[in-house]
Amino acid sequence: RYETLQIEAITSNRKNAAVEMKWSDLARINIAQELAKELETQTISCQAIIDSKDRRIREFLAELEEKNFTFVKAMTRAEEDVRKMTKLITENVRRQREVHRGQLKFFEDYLQKDRADLLAEQKKELDILFEQRRQREESEFLEQRQEREKQFHQKNEDLCHRDLDEFNKVKMSLEGSIHELEQHLERTMATYQLNKEKLDYNLQVLAERNKEHSAIEASYKTKLSKLRDAKQRISDKFVKMETTSRKDNGNLTEELARLMQQYRHALEKTRRFEEQDQKKFSDVWANNETEVRGLVEKVLDGDRIIHEQLLGLAWTAPTLDQIQQEIEVMSEAGTVTGKSSTAIVSSESGHTCGSAGGRFSVG
């Protein structure tokens, strides 16, 4: 197959080269009929190459199909062989397992029997060893016990002699202590008798004082009873006074509320009267102010006429401050009526007018 493919490749390359060379020759042909004939020949050559390739492809596809069929058959056969081999291996493993299980059972039984024999033999040896040790320990224990008894007996005798000496010493010491305690007891009894007499005397004194305290307590109880009665009377009196005070307080509170109401009404009336008086005063003031302004203008006009026409002097209108000063001077001199009379007399004499005009002009 490989040689066939090589031959096919070489042949195809040659044909392709011939076709390529023919294309260059066709480019130099100028006659249409020859060019058409050559193109047809070139087309036939190309188709031959294509047919050769298609034929080779069909051969390869047929061979591939055959190989696929062969591969499937081989795989089926291999699968069957594997299945049979698996079955044989499984059966062989099962037989081997049974054989090994039997051998293992045999070995286990043998080992159990051997173990039981060894345990029995070792138990006998241990019993013999324990018996020997027990006998040896019993003999040693008896010897040690006898030795300890001898030692204890000797120690007991030594302790008896030593304790006897100590007992004699302690006995003498205790006898001396008993003698001292007897003397101390006698002294204590004497002290006790003396204290008993003192306590009897104190008891009599306390009994007398108890009687006195009982009498005082009785008198205090009587006083306490009287004080309780007095307290009850005072409490009743206080309750009555408190009731009366509360009643008076309520009445006074109502009276205070009434007076406060009257006071507020009086304040309201006073405020209204003040407002009315203020309004009247403002109205009167406005009227008088208008009238006064008119009179001032007339006076100033008359003063100007006197200066300019009668006296032939230059007249200058006074300022508001000068007019205010003149009003204050006139207020200090007398009433408005008096000032009017003085002004009339001065105008008749002529001297007063001149002085007045001079005063205004100076201003």
Side-chain angles (χ1 to χ4, degrees):
R1 186 185 306 110
Y2 179 71
E3 293 176 355
T4 304
L5 290 174
Q6 285 183 345
I7 294 169
E8 180 66 26
I10 293 170
T11 305
S12 178
N13 289 330
R14 289 176 180 177
K15 290 180 179 180
N16 289 330
V19 171
E20 291 293 332
M21 292 174 64
K22 198 67 177 285
W23 285 115
S24 61
D25 294 337
L26 290 175
R28 291 192 294 271
I29 297 174
N30 296 323
I31 300 171
Q33 293 178 355
E34 293 180 0
L35 181 61
K37 188 183 292 184
E38 292 296 332
L39 286 174
E40 186 176 356
T41 304
Q42 190 75 0
T43 303
I44 292 170
S45 298
C46 292
Q47 186 64 38
I49 294 170
I50 293 171
D51 292 339
S52 176
K53 298 291 184 182
D54 291 338
R55 184 173 59 256
R56 185 59 60 185
I57 289 170
R58 286 194 295 272
E59 291 176 358
F60 283 154
L61 289 174
E63 187 176 358
L64 180 62
E65 186 69 24
E66 184 179 359
K67 293 295 183 183
N68 285 332
F69 181 72
T70 304
F71 177 74
V72 170
K73 288 177 66 177
M75 289 298 294
T76 305
R77 192 181 303 110
E79 184 179 359
E80 185 66 25
D81 294 339
V82 169
R83 190 180 298 109
K84 290 179 180 179
M85 188 178 294
T86 304
K87 186 176 180 182
L88 291 174
I89 291 171
T90 303
E91 184 65 24
N92 191 13
V93 169
R94 186 181 61 78
R95 287 197 300 270
Q96 291 292 330
R97 187 182 292 114
E98 292 293 333
V99 172
H100 291 314
R101 187 179 290 112
Q103 292 177 357
L104 182 62
K105 180 67 175 174
F106 174 75
F107 286 133
E108 286 180 354
D109 295 339
Y110 178 76
L111 290 174
Q112 289 290 338
K113 183 178 179 182
D114 192 10
R115 180 175 178 275
D117 295 338
L118 288 174
L119 288 174
E121 185 178 356
Q122 290 177 359
K123 187 174 183 301
K124 290 179 181 179
E125 292 178 359
L126 287 173
D127 292 339
I128 293 170
L129 292 173
F130 279 128
E131 183 65 24
Q132 292 176 358
R133 181 179 178 182
R134 185 179 62 79
Q135 292 176 0
R136 185 173 62 253
E137 288 179 352
E138 285 180 356
S139 61
E140 291 177 356
F141 177 75
L142 289 174
E143 293 175 358
Q144 292 176 0
R145 182 177 179 183
Q146 291 175 359
E147 184 67 25
R148 284 198 301 272
E149 286 179 355
K150 290 179 181 179
Q151 293 177 0
F152 290 156
H153 183 68
Q154 184 65 32
K155 288 181 180 180
N156 191 14
E157 290 180 356
D158 295 339
L159 289 173
C160 286
H161 291 296
R162 187 180 62 187
D163 291 341
L164 182 61
D165 295 336
E166 291 181 357
F167 174 75
N168 292 327
K169 292 179 181 179
V170 171
K171 181 179 179 182
M172 293 175 65
S173 176
L174 291 175
E175 287 178 353
S177 299
I178 290 170
H179 182 68
E180 291 178 358
L181 290 173
E182 288 177 352
Q183 293 178 357
H184 180 69
L185 179 62
E186 291 177 357
R187 290 194 299 270
T188 304
M189 290 296 292
T191 304
Y192 171 75
Q193 186 65 28
L194 180 61
N195 291 332
K196 182 176 180 299
E197 293 176 357
K198 290 181 179 179
L199 291 174
D200 291 337
Y201 175 74
N202 291 331
L203 179 61
Q204 293 177 0
V205 173
L206 291 174
E208 294 294 333
R209 289 183 179 179
N210 189 18
K211 291 180 181 179
E212 294 177 359
H213 290 164
S214 298
I216 294 170
E217 184 180 1
S219 63
Y220 283 163
K221 286 183 179 180
T222 304
K223 290 181 180 180
L224 180 62
S225 178
K226 292 180 180 180
L227 290 173
R228 285 177 179 174
D229 295 337
K231 175 180 174 293
Q232 185 64 32
R233 290 194 300 272
I234 292 170
S235 297
D236 296 338
K237 186 177 180 181
F238 174 75
V239 171
K240 292 179 181 179
M241 290 177 66
E242 185 178 8
T243 304
T244 305
S245 299
R246 287 181 179 177
K247 185 176 180 181
D248 294 340
N249 188 18
N251 295 330
L252 292 174
T253 303
E254 293 176 357
E255 184 66 19
L256 177 62
R258 186 178 62 79
L259 292 175
M260 288 298 294
Q261 186 69 24
Q262 292 178 359
Y263 175 70
R264 284 194 290 271
H265 290 328
L267 286 178
E268 185 67 23
K269 290 179 180 180
T270 303
R271 186 179 61 79
R272 288 199 299 270
F273 289 154
E274 287 179 354
E275 291 177 355
Q276 292 176 1
D277 293 341
Q278 184 66 28
K279 185 177 180 181
K280 289 180 181 180
F281 177 77
S282 299
D283 295 339
V284 172
W285 178 271
N287 294 329
N288 291 334
E289 185 178 6
T290 303
E291 185 178 355
V292 168
R293 287 181 182 276
L295 293 174
V296 169
E297 290 177 358
K298 290 179 180 180
V299 170
L300 291 175
D301 191 24
D303 187 61
R304 182 181 60 79
I305 292 171
I306 291 170
H307 276 75
E308 291 179 353
Q309 295 180 5
L310 297 179
L311 299 177
L313 299 175
W315 182 80
T316 303
T319 61
L320 185 61
D321 294 335
Q322 292 175 349
I323 295 173
Q324 186 68 27
Q325 290 177 0
E326 290 293 334
I327 291 172
E328 290 177 357
V329 172
M330 292 172 67
S331 297
E332 292 175 358
T335 61
V336 177
T337 305
K339 288 187 284 183
S340 299
S341 301
T342 305
I344 293 171
V345 173
S346 298
S347 62
E348 290 177 352
S349 62
H351 177 72
T352 305
C353 292
S355 62
R359 189 165 54 248
F360 282 118
S361 62
V362 172

